[in-house]
Amino acid sequence: MTTTARPGSAHLDSFAYDNLPPREQWPELIFSLPELEYPERLNCAAELLDRMCERGCAERIALRSPAESWTYRSLLENVNRIARVLQEDMHLLPGNRVLLRGANNPMMAACILAVFKAGCIAVPTMPLLRAKELGAILDKAEIAAALCSSPLRAEMESAREAHPVLRQVVYFNEPGPQGMEARMAAKPAEFGAVDTLAEDVCLISFTSGTTGMPKGTMHFHRDVLAICDCFPRSVLQSGADDIFIGTPPLAFTFGLGGLLLFPLRVGASAVLLEKLTPETLLKSIAEFKATICFTAPTFYRQMAPLAKNFDLSSLQKTVSAGEALPVSTRDAWHKASGLVMIDGIGATEMLHIFISAAGEQVRAGATGKPIPGYQACVLDDNGQVAAPGVVGRLAVKGPTGCRYLADERQKNYVLNGWNLTGDAYEMDADGYYWYRARSDDMIISAGYNIAGPEVEDAVLRHEAVAECAVVGVADEERGQIVKAYVVLKPGMPASDALAKDIQTFVKNSIAPYKYPRAIEFRAALPRTETGKLQRFKLRDGV
């Protein structure tokens, strides 16, 4: 461990500072809104908890689960006790990294906030990761301590045995005398937040691996508040009476924002649930009277035919992100719920959503416009700003931006101050942004540029299709052909005749040259734990 952190930093362990990319490789950061003018010294956990209690939220419900409800006061006290365990029992110093592992429940949320408050750096990980995957993260971020939910002990211990960098693990949701709860019981409920710089790293989020090897993205205390003061304020327009619910894991920045940070910033309430299915999410929306739902397009598509069986009258806003929202899914959800979907695109590198639209601003098929606080453009092959109607690389800048942990790919993500998200987009004459594909999902067949998601949307409209993924595969004659991997609805048998029917259906829906010349039926598609399609696995023949 080195102790040469930047001047003024609270970090006694300078690892994060030492492994930030050089300043000249950072994107340009812009703070164009008054609410983004943060002080030089800032601890995001203190802002989200201590300040909210001071403002009269102490007795409001902050977190709900099937088993319990925590007020803002009880959440603050639990966070303070955990922070004391980090300092007094585990002897962690500001700047130390802490791996966090657990399903969505109040203790997982409290542990994340406690790491922030203690001046350490949270590295949340998906519950389904195996020891090998955890080991890569432990080694990359040089993590010596972990907080882990007791049911996930087996893989955690396997990772610890194989990676000696990890020296201590404390388990929560654990009844034993060495568990977090027993340690907390011996601690007072007060803890003064470490006096961190606004630019001290507090979070390392690893990308979900849709394109291969995950990357560690480094975020500051200031960034955590910035995402709360942009999308939720301008587009979602959430308030203290809202009850948030959804499926994304807290280890995924979509879930961390939507199911913890956003509600806390406005004194609202979050429902944290484990192992949801489309049916149990609908049931929970009705039971908890949720008003705002966050989940991925696949869940909305699966919930649409079931919605009529549940009382969704409390639900006011539904947010889709994580992957492209097919028009057919938007339409099916609107018909089932009466709600106009709020679509959005974010990135782990940017921390949360930066293009979106809600209400009357929604244009079906378009993701939306840059939200207040962010700027966007489309760049052509030469890195120049493209005219409306031209498909190119989406470029974004705002108060958050990409800073990879010791990774040469930083140079690929940032160009002339812009963050290049890896998405192919088109901007229309009215400033709306239309998703075309991931940059590596564009298929070039016989000289035609074909966007895989457009073909997927057409295939999904066929009455027999439940899920679809489209990729380009090598072909001697055409360079590439469009291939569709299709999961059929229950009771629909696969056959050559059905494949031909799907092909004909697509030809009649979009330009015929885009139709899938090959169709393979599968029982399931490869997805990350957050529900994103892993098209690279299909391209690799997995």
Side-chain angles (χ1 to χ4, degrees), residues 307-329:
K308 63 181 180 294
N309 301 322
F310 299 90
D311 177 9
L312 304 182
S313 58
S314 64
L315 199 57
Q316 298 171 16
K317 297 161 188 172
T318 52
V319 181
S320 171
E323 61 180 343
L325 173 65
V327 175
S328 57
T329 300

Side-chain angles (χ1 to χ4, degrees), residues 212-253:
M213 183 61 68
K215 302 173 282 287
T217 66
M218 305 171 78
H219 301 290
F220 300 148
H221 284 269
R222 181 184 65 207
D223 301 334
V224 168
L225 295 185
I227 62 168
C228 297
D229 294 338
C230 287
F231 170 75
R233 180 188 291 255
S234 59
V235 178
L236 196 58
Q237 298 183 356
S238 49
D241 292 331
D242 278 311
I243 300 173
F244 290 66
I245 200 169
T247 63
L250 294 177
F252 182 29
T253 56

Side-chain angles (χ1 to χ4, degrees), residues 8-154:
S9 171
H11 287 183
L12 299 178
D13 177 349
S14 69
F15 172 87
Y17 179 68
D18 295 340
N19 286 280
L20 282 166
R23 279 268 180 177
E24 60 269 19
Q25 292 181 17
W26 290 20
E28 180 187 357
L29 298 172
I30 55 175
F31 304 94
S32 55
L33 304 174
E35 50 267 32
L36 299 176
E37 296 176 0
Y38 302 110
E40 182 181 0
R41 308 203 71 84
L42 181 75
N43 185 298
C44 63
E47 292 298 318
L48 294 170
L49 287 177
D50 299 68
R51 299 297 89 75
M52 295 309 294
C53 285
E54 291 167 7
R55 292 169 190 164
C57 293
E59 305 311 320
R60 294 180 64 85
I61 300 297
L63 302 178
R64 305 165 190 253
S65 75
E68 57 191 339
S69 293
W70 291 13
T71 64
Y72 275 78
R73 185 191 306 280
S74 59
L75 175 57
L76 173 60
E77 291 176 348
N78 284 326
V79 165
N80 288 344
R81 290 187 171 103
I82 296 169
R84 285 187 174 274
V85 172
L86 297 175
Q87 275 195 359
E88 298 168 8
D89 293 16
M90 302 177 74
H91 306 293
L92 298 183
L93 300 175
N96 288 164
R97 279 76 56 218
V98 181
L99 185 134
L100 292 134
R101 190 160 158 65
N104 285 9
N105 57 59
M107 275 299 291
M108 176 66 173
C111 285
I112 294 172
L113 294 167
V115 172
F116 292 163
K117 196 166 188 183
C120 296
I121 299 171
V123 188
T125 57
M126 303 296 180
L128 291 182
L129 292 187
R130 301 300 189 191
K132 180 180 178 181
E133 297 159 311
L134 292 170
I137 292 171
L138 291 169
D139 291 343
K140 177 78 173 181
E142 297 186 14
I143 301 172
L147 304 181
C148 179
S149 184
S150 186
L152 302 177
R153 180 188 296 268

Side-chain angles (χ1 to χ4, degrees), residues 513-531:
Y513 69 84
K514 300 177 182 179
Y515 87 97
R517 293 173 182 269
I519 290 180
E520 180 178 322
F521 295 108
R522 288 203 169 189
L525 299 176
R527 293 184 180 273
T528 68
E529 192 178 343
T530 62

Side-chain angles (χ1 to χ4, degrees), residues 197-216:
L197 281 176
E199 278 200 358
D200 275 339
V201 175
C202 69
L203 175 69
I204 300 177
S205 293
F206 278 80
T207 58
S208 55
T210 56
T211 57
M213 183 61 68
K215 302 173 282 287

Side-chain angles (χ1 to χ4, degrees), residues 297-302 323-332 452-470 484-489 502-503 505-506 509-510 516 519 525 527 533 535:
T298 303
F299 247 70
Y300 286 116
R301 184 173 185 84
Q302 295 171 343
E323 61 180 343
L325 173 65
V327 175
S328 57
T329 300
R330 178 190 283 280
D331 292 346
E454 181 185 11
V455 184
E456 290 172 1
D457 189 42
V459 174
L460 283 167
R461 292 176 180 274
H462 190 282
E463 62 182 5
V465 175
E467 296 182 60
C468 173
V470 165
Y485 292 85
V486 172
V487 177
L488 296 173
K489 292 179 179 177
I502 292 171
Q503 289 171 322
F505 179 82
V506 173
S509 303
I510 56 178
I519 290 180
L525 299 176
R527 293 184 180 273
L533 275 173
R535 294 181 181 85

Side-chain angles (χ1 to χ4, degrees), residues 435-446:
Y435 178 77
R436 296 307 180 213
R438 288 290 296 175
S439 297
D440 50 9
D441 288 335
M442 289 297 289
I443 302 164
I444 303 175
S445 181

